[in-house]
Amino acid sequence: MYTQQLVFIAAALSAPLLSSANCMYGTSLFPRAAGAATVEVSNFGYTGLQGPLNWAGLSAENSACATSKVQSPINIDSTIQLAAEAPKVVIPDVKAAEFENLGTTVEVIVNGTTTLGGTNFSLKQFHFHTPSEHRVAEEYFPLEIHMVHEAADGSGAIAVIALTFQLSEDGTTTTELLTAVTENLAQIATPGTVTETGPLKFAEVINHVQTTPLFQYAGSLTTPPCAEGLTFLVTKNPLPLSVKTYNQIKAVVKFNSRYTQNSLGQENLIGVGATALTSAGGAAAGNGTAAGNSTNVAKPKPSNGTATSKPTPTTTGNVAVKVEGEHHCILGACSEIPKVKRFYRRK
């Protein structure tokens, strides 16, 4: 299984990488510069043209983001099975760990070992996503931590333990690890900066991972280049998170959650949208609409019933539609809404 995963990842990474500060940063496939006073900042983002809908357009190496049928994150439903066995996790406590702001997330560099299915994986780092990237039975969580591991045998196989967090009912109870991690969070509020965490104790997290049910599936990187072949272990039950700690993390990390992908094996949602747009364009052309990029959209009628001004040309992609009255558009294809007959009562 892990050999197959490596084939997927290696194929996706055959070209020189431009987006190295991603969710596999620190592994052999995406090594970080040793001893640097600053860290590389991601060249992708979560807003506008830097966001997930255009990741494939940022670099040729990101094509899987728009074409792959096995993408993460997903909504975890009844089709996703629980792990057959609990992993064995060993992470030594540390007095401090390097803490970095990559621009798209904050990351803690720690070492540890997780044994899964007879294979030993080395913990390389863990990083944060707000809100959670995975959903469980459609429910999202305010925070998700990805603990990124690489196979110790040098094969390059990647396993990610995804910890979900829920706001505690009293608003103050939180996981001890988060308190120590965020102790110096304000010092890396600027992308590219580096500091250290407070003392980190992992007993609570380790116990949770080894005792709570874990959903297991083969997915992909949730950031560019979106390469397939990762094993995800997602906690079914969340750990507690205080409101104060959540707000501290959210203020620095901002929004960094990729939208939920299609069910595993189904068409990539970007491809689905492109096909729908093409079909809508063809339907519009079949209805006698003019070709070109210009769409005439009439201004709404004022409430007093007076006439409107002349239609204003508006660009809406590659679909041309002339709309005389109220209208609606789906994926660039517009259609008129039939006018409602009005009946007047005689005075």
Side-chain angles (χ1 to χ4, degrees):
M1 177 177 66
Y2 299 117
T3 300
Q4 182 183 26
Q5 292 172 344
L6 178 59
V7 170
F8 280 125
I9 295 174
L13 308 183
S14 57
L17 291 169
L18 300 177
S19 53
S20 58
N22 60 29
C23 59
M24 282 212 305
Y25 197 42
T27 66
S28 63
L29 297 172
F30 296 88
R32 61 169 52 83
T38 59
V39 297
E40 183 177 356
V41 175
S42 306
N43 65 358
F44 63 93
Y46 293 87
T47 303
L49 294 179
Q50 296 298 113
L53 290 178
N54 194 46
W55 283 349
L58 299 179
S59 173
E61 73 187 26
N62 301 341
S63 61
C65 300
T67 60
S68 167
K69 296 181 181 181
V70 181
Q71 288 291 286
S72 299
I74 61 172
N75 171 53
I76 295 175
D77 56 20
S78 59
T79 65
I80 305 301
Q81 302 297 311
L82 293 174
E85 61 182 83
K88 182 179 179 181
V89 182
V90 178
I91 308 174
D93 295 341
V94 295
K95 294 182 178 180
E98 187 170 320
F99 196 16
E100 308 172 338
N101 186 333
L102 305 182
T104 52
T105 189
V106 293
E107 179 176 286
V108 180
I109 303 172
V110 289
N111 297 313
T113 302
T114 294
T115 303
L116 174 65
T119 301
N120 290 329
F121 288 85
S122 300
L123 176 61
K124 298 297 183 180
Q125 46 93 347
F126 63 87
H127 60 268
F128 297 70
H129 290 277
T130 60
S132 69
E133 293 203 299
H134 287 93
R135 290 186 285 157
V136 178
E138 300 288 353
E139 181 182 4
Y140 75 93
F141 300 91
L143 176 67
E144 182 174 333
I145 286 180
H146 287 173
M147 307 187 79
V148 179
H149 298 69
E150 183 174 4
D153 60 8
S155 65
I158 301 295
V160 177
I161 297 176
L163 306 172
T164 54
F165 292 81
Q166 183 63 279
L167 293 175
S168 53
E169 292 188 5
D170 60 11
T172 59
T173 302
T174 198
T175 303
E176 182 181 7
L177 179 66
L178 294 181
T179 302
V181 166
T182 56
E183 182 177 306
N184 298 324
L185 181 60
Q187 296 180 16
I188 57 167
T190 303
T193 53
V194 181
T195 187
E196 288 188 341
T197 66
L200 303 182
K201 297 181 179 180
F202 292 93
E204 181 180 9
V205 168
I206 291 174
N207 180 67
H208 184 72
V209 171
Q210 293 184 152
T211 58
T212 193
L214 300 172
F215 296 104
Q216 180 174 343
Y217 78 96
S220 75
L221 295 178
T222 64
T223 60
C226 308
E228 298 178 15
L230 279 69
T231 295
F232 268 103
L233 294 170
V234 184
T235 55
K236 181 178 181 180
N237 302 315
L239 285 160
L241 170 66
S242 71
V243 173
K244 178 181 178 181
T245 302
Y246 171 56
N247 285 334
Q248 288 175 329
I249 296 172
K250 181 166 63 71
V252 174
V253 176
K254 314 298 184 183
F255 180 96
N256 69 338
S257 178
R258 188 187 189 191
Y259 62 90
T260 304
Q261 301 298 294
N262 207 350
S263 298
L264 299 173
Q266 300 299 309
E267 291 292 331
N268 190 291
L269 289 177
I270 292 180
V272 172
T275 300
L277 179 60
T278 301
S279 299
N287 289 330
T289 58
N293 292 327
S294 178
T295 301
N296 291 328
V297 180
K299 295 181 179 179
K301 291 184 178 180
S303 57
N304 59 9
T306 59
T308 61
S309 60
K310 294 181 179 180
T312 303
T314 304
T315 300
T316 57
N318 296 319
V319 182
V321 182
K322 185 176 181 181
V323 181
E324 299 296 340
E326 296 180 350
H327 68 287
H328 69 279
C329 300
I330 300 176
L331 290 172
C334 302
S335 59
E336 294 184 34
I337 299 177
K339 294 181 179 179
V340 179
K341 293 183 178 180
R342 292 180 172 84
F343 296 90
Y344 297 90
R345 181 172 34 176
R346 294 181 179 178
K347 294 184 179 178

